[in-house]
Amino acid sequence: MMKVREKWKPSLAWLLALAMIISLTPVMAVTAGAAGNYKDGTFEGTGQGYGGAVTVSLTIQDGKMTALTSPSHENESFWGSRNVDSLLTAILSANSESIVGVEGIDSVSGATKSSQGVKTAVMDALSKAVDSAFFASGEGTEKNPYVVETADQLRDFAASVDAGTSYEDSYVVLGADLDLSGSNWNPIGTETGTESIFAGSLDGQGHTVTGLTIQASNLETESNLGLFSTLDRKAKVKNLNLTGVNIEIGAEDAVLRAGAIAGDTVSGENSDAGVGTWLDSCSAQGSVKAETQGAKLVFCGGLVGRANIITTITNCWTDVNVEGISRGGNNSAYAGGILGTSGNNAKVINCASFGNTKAVSPKSTNFGGMAGGIAAMFAGKAWNVTASGNAVIGNGGSAHKWIGALFGDNTISGMTRSGNEYLYPDTGALRDYGYYSDGITLTVEKYVASTGEYESSGTTDLVPAGTGTLANDTVFAMSENVRSVSDMDTQAFADIMNANMKAVTKLMDAYGMEGLQMRQWELTDGRVLPTGDAWVNAEPDSSIFDSGSGTE
């Protein structure tokens, strides 16, 4: 598998070991490094085996494992009969010269699953020993966060997440603008799976990261790529600007997900009010492209390739040209200005997209390519959003037309059926206050399904969201406040977006969303952007008073 990494350089044996560990059990992976990548001290870890939980205690000195014991077992009688000490001795011996992990250590005879629990516990302890001294300062608390001030520190931070440090409940901030130009970026977190990904809070503090480049042409396994690979459901990224993004990845036969900030997010617990992974007050400019030659799905977005259940994106904007291609068969390619696809109850609130989108699946006679200015396929809530980029889809003669100025496809998730119609809940519209430029061009390309060769193309009607051929298909774009606008670069349009905020706040309150705050729209460098001060409702809530109108 081609990895886009240029940081710590573990041995080939360890990389093979890591791959085997990931395939066997969902443990937190730890990448071995040279002496000094681990802190000296004693660390505990816990794993789950057939006989219950087991805890181990390991001691590291000068980058070597010097002691490894198992002080407690959940089921003493079971573990006592499994000769755990012999397994611990073998692991300690293998790591006595340098830390290489646990793979290749023979399991205790007759206790394979239990042995894996011991190995998981060792890996958990190692993840806690990763040295975070590379930060410029800080302790990782909200009041004293870890500070990243150089590109090298950001690379080391990424390597520490790869190595198993999730930073859950920890805080990281940027203390300066960073330039990543001139090298291939290794995403923060492992690119395949969710074993080692970021689960903390990253605050860019308004700083800009320039030159994020990921070039990988022959990825062999399902991969998630961006500044981060995948963001955990507890992760939050805010106040971060990316410019000069250049992501172009390819695979022979693998699922690909790519976005400037992250390729994927982890689903949260599905609910109207849930927030989950949260991107707030971020921007991205550049290009994102992913292409697979096989019959595999491709997800591309200006910020996120796939935003899973209850992922929330607020006050963000993008100017990213997004392209997704799936050449091999009937699987779809998705390209969206903010995100490629979403899970249920994902939220896009107070966001803008300016880039072009293109999604092509030339041999597909099913859904084919799907593209939209906000998202290619959307199953959540979207309020106060704008898009002004062109969109293109391609397929092998599909009757579907999943292309729109705002959305390629809005699903019926969260709606109720009444006869032949689907209705929004009484709580409020799931999508409202959406605007798109009347200068957008929507283009449909036709390919020969049997060969994938280009045949023809033509423009289609400018609509906010695409349609299919199913009997119950309807344009579920927004409510009655969707409109095309020719003057989206004026103060007057900013005033329109700001005037919507009171109504959008009521919708958020109706659905029980707490902690989300919108920024005011402002005209900046010829664009209307959600980058102003936090919006505050200046009108008093008259319902708290017994009577009166507040006049003299």
Side-chain angles (χ1 to χ4, degrees), residues 138-471:
E139 298 177 343
T141 64
E142 187 170 11
K143 292 184 178 180
N144 187 20
Y146 295 127
V147 180
V148 173
E149 294 183 342
T150 68
D152 283 342
Q153 289 170 358
L154 188 67
R155 292 185 182 97
D156 287 339
F157 164 58
S160 70
V161 178
D162 289 353
T165 303
S166 70
Y167 293 90
E168 183 175 345
D169 299 324
S170 294
Y171 296 82
V172 181
V173 302
L174 297 190
D177 294 341
L178 305 178
D179 190 349
L180 301 179
S181 302
S183 63
N184 217 24
W185 174 249
N186 168 46
I188 301 170
T190 53
E191 293 93 84
T192 299
T194 59
E195 290 78 13
S196 298
I197 59 174
F198 183 68
S201 172
L202 175 71
D203 186 350
Q205 298 193 122
H207 289 294
T208 298
V209 175
T210 302
L212 171 67
T213 300
I214 302 176
Q215 301 285 310
S217 60
N218 60 343
L219 295 166
E220 297 178 358
T221 61
E222 182 172 331
S223 298
N224 306 307
L225 299 168
L227 177 66
F228 295 84
S229 56
T230 299
L231 287 166
D232 185 81
R233 63 175 63 89
K234 296 181 180 180
K236 180 178 181 179
V237 180
K238 63 180 181 179
N239 303 320
L240 178 65
N241 303 303
L242 303 177
T243 63
V245 174
N246 181 13
I247 298 175
E248 186 171 357
I249 60 175
E252 282 299 317
D253 192 32
V255 174
L256 299 176
R257 303 182 191 92
I261 289 184
D264 202 6
T265 68
V266 176
S267 293
E269 184 176 348
N270 193 19
S271 69
D272 284 323
V275 174
T277 307
W278 187 4
L279 307 184
D280 179 54
S281 302
C282 296
S283 70
Q285 301 176 70
S287 62
V288 173
K289 180 180 180 180
E291 178 176 354
T292 183
Q293 304 301 314
K296 301 293 184 180
L297 294 168
V298 173
F299 306 79
C300 293
L303 290 180
V304 182
R306 181 177 68 174
N308 268 309
I309 294 173
I310 72 169
T311 295
T312 300
I313 302 175
T314 54
N315 306 308
C316 293
W317 67 274
T318 64
D319 187 357
V320 179
N321 289 326
V322 181
E323 184 173 2
I325 304 172
S326 177
R327 293 198 179 278
N330 255 336
N331 281 303
S332 292
Y334 306 95
I338 300 292
L339 55 94
T341 68
S342 86
N344 293 340
N345 274 313
K347 302 161 188 70
V348 179
I349 303 171
N350 223 46
C351 293
S353 169
F354 299 91
N356 300 323
T357 58
K358 182 175 183 178
V360 176
S361 184
K363 293 184 178 181
S364 175
T365 57
N366 191 13
F367 280 10
M370 306 175 75
I374 299 297
M377 178 182 282
F378 193 67
K381 300 175 178 67
W383 301 311
N384 225 37
V385 298
T386 76
S388 56
N390 298 323
V392 178
I393 62 169
N395 55 63
S398 171
H400 300 291
K401 196 179 292 184
W402 298 118
I403 183 172
L406 294 169
F407 301 97
D409 173 30
N410 267 318
T411 75
I412 59 175
S413 174
M415 304 180 75
T416 57
R417 185 170 183 172
S418 176
N420 292 325
E421 294 184 318
Y422 283 87
L423 307 175
Y424 288 132
D426 293 337
T427 309
L430 301 180
R431 298 143 199 151
D432 212 340
Y433 306 101
Y435 302 85
Y436 56 95
S437 168
D438 58 9
I440 289 175
T441 299
L442 303 181
T443 302
V444 178
E445 295 180 345
K446 184 178 179 181
Y447 293 77
V448 179
S450 59
T451 64
E453 294 180 358
Y454 174 82
E455 185 175 313
S456 63
S457 67
T459 59
T460 187
D461 294 339
L462 180 57
V463 293
T467 58
T469 61
L470 305 178

